[in-house]
Amino acid sequence: MKKTSVLDLLRQSAEHFLSGEDMASQLGVSRSAVWNQIHDLQKLGYRIEARTHAGYRLLGVPDKLFADEMAWELGTRVLGRRIFSYEDIESTNDAVFRLGEQRAPEGVTVFAEHQNKGRGRLGRRWHCPRGKGILFSYLLRPSLSPSQIPQVTLVTALSVVRAIRAECGLECGIKWPNDIVYEERKLCGILTEMSAEQDRVNFVVVGIGLNVNGIPAQVPDGPASLKGILKREISRVTLAKTLLRHIDRDYLAWKAQDGVDFVEEWERASVTTGRRVTARTNERVIQGQATGIDRDGALWIRTDSGLQERILAGDVDHVR
Ligand code: BTN
């Protein structure tokens, strides 16, 4: 079990002052050790008021994705069981992949304020200004076949839509297979990778990059951010915890029901269904009308010659 810290005591006592002496005796450490911890917390951006003869109280927490902050009253079952957070990292997906290879348990989650080599799908780069986005990856160990993995991306995309709705009151859509968009502009991307054998998945890494408080250039159809849309700063800590809770709940529900009940929800959230699309798979380019998503997470396209095509993986452009 995690040892209680000065920060835990300050959180628990909410607006009441706690004396250094009380904290020291509760934690079994010296008063100067308590003072050092308070000082370290202040350096990290925690606002702690010190009042003579009364003690200390917590006035505010920094909007940083610290592991300790994310874990506080998180209440998830799988996600965030163990949380790591970095100021700088190459890519949170790479970090979680390595943890997967080292047999880390399902649910381990890595956050970063900045990535030096953030990766997107299909070998693209993923850029996000330091401290402005929510960038994280987590490890799953489902007993699935590789062909079921596209569903994991769609379940996650739905959770992101739900979390943004719950926290920001904004209705976003899923652009098949892995983008969260608002009025055609991309807010969030999901990168799902796996270690697998022919018919068995060893582990899955899901990485999420959400543009929160950065203001991307106002390029038509270019990326968007929540702040750019809502014209206000969003608490990244609060939103990140809401994301973890939704992903955790939806992932467990999906695993328990074998995916069946999610089809209707994917369809409702999909902004691709009904659109004219150009889809690129490894082998070919397909043009036509997107007609729906099936229970495997595959996209159906009616081509101009009237053929029904089904693609499980690929990249899609909405044609105007
Ligand atoms: C895409 O839209 O192509 C997917 C983008 C995924 C970006 C996230 S940011 C956190 C995680 N780490 C990475 O290197 N990539 C994913």
Side-chain angles (χ1 to χ4, degrees):
M1 220 176 81
K2 180 180 163 289
K3 259 176 58 191
T4 309
S5 64
V6 165
L7 182 56
D8 294 333
L9 295 181
L10 289 171
R11 281 181 181 128
Q12 282 156 13
S13 79
E15 71 269 24
H16 303 292
F17 282 92
L18 254 183
S19 76
E21 201 171 338
D22 274 356
M23 285 195 269
S25 81
Q26 285 191 56
L27 299 173
V29 298
S30 67
R31 279 174 66 181
S32 74
V34 169
W35 192 87
N36 283 339
Q37 279 196 46
I38 300 253
H39 191 64
D40 288 347
L41 288 167
Q42 285 171 328
K43 277 205 295 203
L44 288 172
Y46 286 86
R47 289 193 302 118
I48 298 168
E49 183 185 356
R51 191 178 289 177
T52 330
H53 306 307
Y56 304 95
R57 68 173 175 171
L58 184 62
L59 296 180
V61 300
D63 196 28
K64 300 267 268 176
L65 306 175
F66 293 140
D68 199 56
E69 213 45 66
M70 302 306 303
W72 175 250
E73 295 188 335
L74 185 60
T76 50
R77 283 171 57 199
V78 173
L79 248 76
R81 254 188 205 155
R82 182 96 205 266
I83 301 179
F84 297 96
S85 110
Y86 296 88
E87 182 60 39
D88 270 295
I89 202 167
E90 298 223 318
S91 151
T92 55
N93 261 50
D94 293 349
V96 172
F97 207 95
R98 279 194 298 274
L99 288 167
E101 289 172 332
Q102 291 158 14
R103 303 186 187 283
E106 178 164 71
V108 63
T109 303
V110 172
F111 283 91
E113 295 291 334
H114 182 255
Q115 298 181 123
N116 300 312
K117 287 193 184 150
R119 295 188 291 106
R121 288 172 74 237
L122 310 168
R124 296 180 190 130
R125 295 293 301 272
W126 179 268
H127 296 283
C128 183
R130 178 183 301 279
K132 298 292 183 192
I134 297 178
L135 313 175
F136 68 106
S137 305
Y138 53 90
L139 182 72
L140 300 176
R141 294 191 180 278
S143 26
L144 298 176
S145 72
S147 65
Q148 290 173 290
I149 296 308
Q151 292 178 58
V152 174
T153 307
L154 278 174
V155 173
T156 311
L158 192 60
S159 308
V160 175
V161 167
R162 288 172 166 169
I164 294 175
R165 182 192 297 140
E167 211 49 63
C168 309
L170 193 70
E171 202 54 51
C172 299
I174 301 173
K175 176 172 171 282
W176 189 93
N178 74 316
D179 291 349
I180 310 304
V181 299
Y182 180 76
E183 294 181 346
E184 291 286 312
R185 294 179 66 198
K186 181 161 170 171
L187 263 173
C188 172
I190 300 169
L191 177 64
T192 308
E193 298 178 304
M194 65 179 155
S195 154
E197 277 141 51
Q198 189 89 31
D199 53 1
R200 197 174 65 90
V201 171
N202 297 323
F203 61 81
V204 177
V205 176
V206 184
I208 298 184
L210 172 59
N211 301 330
V212 184
N213 288 326
I215 302 280
Q218 294 299 302
V219 181
D221 297 340
S225 73
L226 290 171
K227 182 177 176 179
I229 296 163
L230 296 166
K231 312 286 180 240
R232 63 181 165 89
E233 200 86 9
I234 304 294
S235 160
R236 291 186 305 138
V237 170
T238 310
L239 179 56
K241 289 170 90 159
T242 304
L243 278 164
L244 291 186
R245 290 182 186 121
H246 277 271
I247 295 168
D248 187 70
R249 198 194 57 198
D250 293 340
Y251 171 66
L252 289 171
W254 169 75
K255 263 209 325 191
Q257 292 164 22
D258 212 18
V260 182
D261 288 341
F262 277 84
V263 182
E264 207 179 298
E265 292 288 330
W266 291 337
E267 281 289 20
R268 204 173 304 151
S270 165
V271 292
T272 300
T273 305
R275 293 293 300 262
R276 192 170 166 75
V277 296
T278 302
R280 291 178 184 82
T281 70
N282 276 344
E283 302 86 32
R284 59 214 174 107
V285 177
I286 302 163
Q287 287 193 317
Q289 182 91 8
T291 54
I293 299 170
D294 67 20
R295 62 159 63 183
D296 298 328
L299 182 71
W300 284 81
I301 300 170
R302 189 176 56 243
T303 66
D304 298 337
S305 54
L307 270 180
Q308 285 284 359
E309 296 270 9
R310 177 181 183 272
I311 58 168
L312 197 51
D315 208 27
V316 158
D317 280 331
H318 292 172
V319 182
R320 287 182 184 275

